[in-house]
Amino acid sequence: MSVPVVDVWGQVAPGARSALPPAPEPHEEWVLSGGTAWVYYSPLNRRQLIRPVILSDGFSSGSSELDQLWHGLEENGKYRFISELHATGRDVIILGYTDRTASITDNADTAVDCIRRTLAERVGRAKLVVGGFSMGGLVTRYALAKMENDPTLPDHETALYLSYDTPHRGAWLPVGVQAFTHFATDNWGEDPSLGPVLRQFSGLLNSPAAKQMARWHIDKASGTPEQAAERVAFLQALDELGGWPRAIRKIGVANGVDTGDSNGVEAGATAVKCDGATLHDTWIKAQAQGEQVVARLQKTGGEPVSVRTSGLPDIDGAPGGLFTLPTPDGDPGSFGLVGLLMTYLGNTVAPGVITTSCFIPSISAVAAGDIDDPKALYQEIAPGSSELDAFLCAGRNEGHTTITAELGEWIVNEIVSTE
């Protein structure tokens, strides 16, 4: 049985990339320090950079790939984001990184480099639009704030900052899923077929960027979920820059609802369970409040490992962008991915798997509350509660960074109205 090669956080899994049609040749390709920018001029501008919109890639494994990004932005079957921007006379600059797992602050330096190059190539004095998807929103948020605070850097000349399902208040990956990933890597990481995938997952979870974004992180199966030191340091560095760029309009969208309605995952429910050749009575439950054994992990013939949490909110069912992960076997989401790994390890997964879970809570994506607070997670988001100047939440809880007409059209209209 072949094993899919997939990303923990990414729009398209590497195993599916070979099936993607190639992106159109960019009009310009800029080699930056730590990344690459691909420039697509609007047909209205006769191959001149007149009204630039910089869109940053987010977190995933390895380096950014243009075919993958183009597919997500333009060929996703839901909304042709680049074409719609071009139709308004906006030139699109897609910003990618050499290492998408590197520190957010390191990739922010690449974003600064991209902004400087954009200003140098721009014809006229039109202000920039700068932002990104998922982690890309944090990278560009930090970059713009840094440019305002560092006297050695030029004015960013940006009128609008945008973020698309960005974890402004932190991201969530179920503690049980993290624990199983590390547990499986410890036990089968050297297996010639499955080992590379397990090591990739575990490495991604423990990468600098993942630790900076995750509100609760464990680096091993027996770890205690908490903010990683890398996240604490990043938040402090961002706070020292004022938290946000100033004198600039800030907008954002969420792939979750603002009504407080759950995505349907029941707190404490058994999400995935298996038994078989390599695992015995192994299961993971959806996160609940209070003291909880969130997972039981046992290698056949070995001692069981109990994964415990305390004081966490019932966040798996919270409204927000969902953890979705395309693979050759479908779209399993977080718990569903664990079910696939259990199967590949030679076990039988019990029926009724809860496939997905909340990944970026709506209140995190629009910076309207702390995801530590169970009440805030499920409350209606009031218009004035966000740190953004304007925001829009989706009409339903949908896959993280899914570009829809609902959200895409709103962003384009905001860009057009900000001159």
Side-chain angles (χ1 to χ4, degrees), residues 6-364:
V6 291
D7 287 335
V8 173
W9 277 318
Q11 297 168 337
V12 178
R17 288 176 189 165
S18 60
L20 296 177
E25 192 74 19
H27 297 116
E28 299 285 344
E29 181 173 312
W30 301 340
V31 177
L32 308 170
S33 174
T36 304
W38 296 280
V39 183
Y40 290 91
Y41 299 124
S42 167
L44 304 179
N45 293 341
R46 299 181 180 180
R47 295 202 174 188
Q48 290 182 310
L49 193 62
I50 296 177
R51 292 178 170 178
V53 176
I54 298 174
L55 300 175
S56 169
D57 194 7
F59 181 96
S60 199
S61 63
S63 60
S64 298
E65 296 187 11
L66 179 57
D67 293 349
Q68 176 192 9
L69 292 169
W70 184 269
H71 176 84
L73 291 166
E74 183 71 1
E75 302 293 344
N76 54 66
K78 299 179 183 296
Y79 187 71
R80 298 176 67 88
F81 195 52
I82 296 173
S83 292
E84 294 297 332
L85 287 171
H86 277 172
T88 69
R90 268 65 185 181
D91 308 298
V92 176
I93 301 169
I94 303 174
L95 173 59
Y97 304 100
T98 303
D99 182 2
R100 290 178 288 183
T101 69
S103 166
I104 293 171
T105 55
D106 287 348
N107 279 333
D109 289 338
T110 302
V112 170
D113 194 18
C114 182
I115 294 169
R116 296 182 70 166
R117 179 68 181 269
T118 301
L119 294 173
E121 300 286 342
R122 178 190 54 178
V123 176
R125 304 298 300 174
K127 295 282 189 177
L128 276 56
V129 175
V130 179
F133 295 78
S134 191
M135 185 190 75
L138 287 177
V139 171
T140 49
R141 172 182 167 185
Y142 190 92
L144 291 167
K146 181 176 181 177
M147 293 185 77
E148 292 178 348
N149 284 272
D150 188 338
T152 68
L153 295 175
D155 185 342
H156 53 60
E157 298 187 44
T158 298
L160 183 71
Y161 160 80
L162 68 91
S163 65
Y164 203 111
D165 216 36
T166 290
H168 290 297
R169 299 293 182 87
W172 164 255
L173 187 67
V175 172
V177 172
Q178 296 185 55
F180 179 84
T181 301
H182 297 315
F183 177 82
T185 303
D186 289 343
N187 285 282
W188 296 281
E190 301 307 316
D191 179 271
S193 60
L194 192 59
V197 177
L198 294 173
R199 293 196 300 271
Q200 180 195 33
F201 289 164
S202 188
L204 282 171
L205 292 176
N206 284 334
S207 69
K211 289 181 178 180
Q212 289 172 327
M213 288 187 293
R215 173 57 188 87
W216 292 276
H217 172 266
I218 57 173
D219 58 4
K220 55 185 178 181
S222 59
T224 301
E226 59 188 357
Q227 288 194 126
E230 289 84 351
R231 175 170 174 79
V232 174
F234 169 69
L235 293 177
Q236 180 178 349
L238 185 61
D239 186 62
E240 289 172 355
L241 295 176
W244 297 87
R246 301 180 296 274
I248 180 174
R249 183 166 172 79
K250 305 180 297 295
I251 67 170
V253 298
N255 283 119
V257 301
D258 61 6
T259 60
D261 292 337
S262 169
N263 60 35
V265 176
E266 182 181 348
T270 298
V272 59
K273 181 178 182 178
C274 81
D275 233 317
T278 62
L279 291 165
H280 173 67
D281 192 22
T282 291
W283 46 261
I284 300 173
K285 292 187 176 182
Q287 187 63 54
Q289 297 183 43
E291 301 286 337
Q292 183 187 15
V293 177
V294 76
R296 183 187 189 278
L297 313 174
Q298 185 177 7
K299 184 177 181 180
T300 301
E303 294 297 318
V305 175
S306 292
V307 181
R308 300 178 181 274
T309 59
S310 177
L312 272 64
D314 48 342
I315 192 170
D316 280 316
L322 302 171
F323 186 111
T324 56
L325 190 60
T327 74
D329 297 281
D331 191 11
S334 54
F335 296 121
L337 173 60
V338 170
L340 281 179
L341 294 175
M342 289 173 170
T343 300
Y344 290 134
L345 285 168
N347 305 282
T348 300
V349 177
V353 175
I354 298 173
T355 56
T356 192
S357 61
C358 179
F359 183 36
I360 310 297
S362 295
I363 60 172
S364 179

